[in-house]
Amino acid sequence: IEKGATEKAREMLMVALEAWLGIVPAHIADKVRTLSRTDALSALHRQALQRKEIEDFEKLLELATAE
C-alpha cells in the first residue's frame, strides 16, 4: 500500500509541475523520481500548486532529496 501511495503522490506532483511549468525540466523530474517519502512529495505538491518562484520550489526539492 505504501508503495502505491508514494507512486500516486509522485504522479500528482508531476501533474502539478506540468500544469505550472508546461515542460518539467529534466533535473527536477529526475529528483522527483528519487523521492520515496509521501510527506515530502505532498509538501512539494502544495508548493507547486502555489506557483511561486521556481527557485523556491528547487530549494525545497533539494531539502527533500538530501535524505
Side-chain angles (χ1 to χ4, degrees):
I1 294 175
E2 180 67 30
K3 186 176 181 181
T6 301
E7 190 58 40
K8 186 66 175 172
R10 193 178 294 123
E11 180 183 327
M12 289 175 57
L13 174 54
M14 289 302 295
V15 168
L17 288 170
E18 288 167 3
W20 177 23
L21 303 171
I23 297 172
V24 180
H27 72 280
I28 291 177
D30 290 343
K31 286 187 179 183
V32 167
R33 284 189 209 99
T34 68
L35 289 171
S36 58
R37 292 181 35 216
T38 54
D39 60 332
L41 288 162
S42 295
L44 288 164
H45 181 247
R46 285 190 298 277
Q47 181 78 17
L49 291 175
Q50 292 174 7
R51 298 181 183 196
K52 295 185 179 181
E53 297 295 324
I54 187 69
E55 292 82 9
D56 293 339
F57 179 84
E58 289 179 314
K59 286 178 189 173
L60 198 63
L61 182 59
E62 282 299 319
L63 288 173
T65 56
E67 302 179 77

